[in-house]
Amino acid sequence: MGITLIAMPFDVLAPAKVNLFLNVTGRRDDGYHLLESLFVFTGLADRIDGWSSELPHIHVSGEFAAGVSADQANLVLQACELMRRESGVAKPMSFCLEKYVPVAAGLGGGSADAAATLSALNDYWELNWPQHRLLSLARELGADVPACLIDKPVIARGIGDELSPAPALPSYALLLANPRVETPTPAVFKAFARANPAIAARSLPSLPAGWDSVAALARDLAARGNDLLPAALSVTPGITPVLEALRGCERVAYAGLSGSGATCFALFATDEDANAAGEALLHDHAEWWFWWPDKIMG
Ligand code: C5P
């Protein structure tokens, strides 16, 4: 009897990002915007299994599977092809992607999937490439992919790909909500460019070495805000009630928009506060999508 060898799969998580503030500081000649943004990562994540196979393949499941292509346009397959080209590994890969991060929602779901694939394949194929080599591949896959590869709080500048460590953060908790309306990033940047044909140079409030309380962090987030908010509202007006509801939560320190939306976040001092606010909001707005620290997804 013949023996079939089944390659051991890897199994990684791809955490969603939240932009606690996002300022647009300029525009490049190619139309990309220059940003200054604080990225943090959440307990909300997609899950990717991958194994060596005869043909490249991806199977997508999970709540948001319908929003993701299962062909070469998928960022997991793109990241894999890029790694194969660079490394010369001939054998294709198959993947199962469980999609729990809403798509086109300002949470960097696709970017996180691409970043997790790069770093998983670096281990799986025992390439041992240093981080700077993976970061330069990440840049080819999208502006947010380098930050997702770091997967720790970072300040992003340039088009989002020049990274430095974030100021020290206090312990905090996030509640995430959106109106379940896909809000493609290019549409929001286009609306921003129409409304801001010229971007005047301005000095942004300086960043401290660290924030020692959620109240201090909230004050600085309020001073920075998210410059894409008006453009995001023009693309997805349903953001307004979500943001208002988050601002009205008990014990909320600050609420804002993540990235180009439509996901909004509320900042709390403790998981208990974020969990309680989430449960209360879901009761009144069952039609919205939510995530909070103890929410069971899937
Ligand atoms: O790089 P990524 O694919 O995530 O960007 C999607 C689109 O968002 C770009 O095609 C561009 O229109 C816009 N964008 C931008 N400035 C950035 C990042 C993205 O204008 N810094």
Side-chain angles (χ1 to χ4, degrees):
M1 199 165 45
I3 298 173
T4 309
L5 287 177
I6 300 173
M8 285 296 288
F10 67 73
D11 173 1
V12 292
L13 294 176
K17 58 90 175 165
V18 169
N19 302 92
L20 293 183
F21 67 73
L22 191 158
N23 299 121
V24 182
T25 57
R27 186 179 297 119
R28 294 197 319 199
D29 292 343
D30 65 1
Y32 266 78
H33 291 79
L34 301 173
L35 312 174
E36 189 164 306
S37 182
L38 171 54
F39 281 67
V40 295
F41 293 86
T42 68
L44 167 68
D46 293 335
R47 186 178 154 167
I48 305 169
D49 285 20
W51 62 96
S52 193
S53 64
E54 294 310 315
L55 291 170
H57 179 72
I58 188 160
H59 172 75
V60 188
S61 62
E63 183 179 356
F64 293 102
V68 179
S69 57
D71 57 20
Q72 212 44 53
N74 190 293
L75 275 163
V76 170
L77 289 185
Q78 285 188 27
C80 180
E81 281 317 297
L82 188 57
M83 287 291 277
R84 279 179 69 203
R85 229 176 23 243
E86 286 288 309
S87 65
V89 171
K91 196 111 197 258
M93 296 285 296
S94 283
F95 297 96
C96 279
L97 168 62
E98 287 172 48
K99 196 80 205 152
Y100 300 117
V101 180
V103 175
L107 295 171
S111 302
D113 295 345
T117 304
L118 291 180
S119 90
L121 289 176
N122 190 37
D123 294 343
Y124 192 67
W125 291 335
E126 298 177 355
L127 299 172
N128 292 317
W129 289 351
Q131 193 177 58
H132 68 82
R133 186 159 182 192
L134 294 177
L135 280 171
S136 74
L137 297 181
R139 275 187 199 98
E140 292 184 35
L141 294 165
D144 287 346
V145 183
C148 292
L149 194 69
I150 302 286
D151 189 15
K152 288 193 188 67
V154 285
I155 299 289
R157 297 190 175 84
I159 62 164
D161 62 339
E162 292 169 21
L163 306 174
S164 48
L169 288 157
S171 121
Y172 66 91
L174 295 177
L175 160 63
L176 306 178
N178 72 46
R180 291 188 183 271
V181 178
E182 287 194 13
T183 304
T185 303
V188 174
F189 275 108
K190 255 189 215 134
F192 179 89
R194 267 198 308 275
N196 302 274
I199 300 170
R202 62 178 165 148
S203 60
L204 293 167
S206 61
L207 294 170
W211 291 285
D212 56 12
S213 68
V214 165
L217 171 62
R219 268 194 303 277
D220 282 357
L221 298 185
R224 290 285 191 132
N226 182 333
D227 295 340
L228 294 178
L229 180 59
L233 291 176
S234 74
V235 173
T236 302
I239 290 169
T240 301
V242 175
L243 203 45
E244 277 171 8
L246 291 180
R247 286 182 176 142
C249 287
E250 234 170 89
R251 295 177 174 273
V252 65
Y254 177 74
L257 180 77
S258 179
S260 52
T263 305
C264 301
F265 66 91
L267 175 74
F268 297 87
T270 66
D271 282 4
E272 291 69 29
D273 291 343
N275 293 336
E279 304 272 5
L281 274 190
L282 175 62
H283 186 263
D284 293 341
H285 298 284
E287 72 283 14
W288 294 346
W289 171 89
F290 291 100
W291 177 84
W292 56 80
D294 286 354
K295 186 155 195 275
I296 295 165
M297 308 300 284

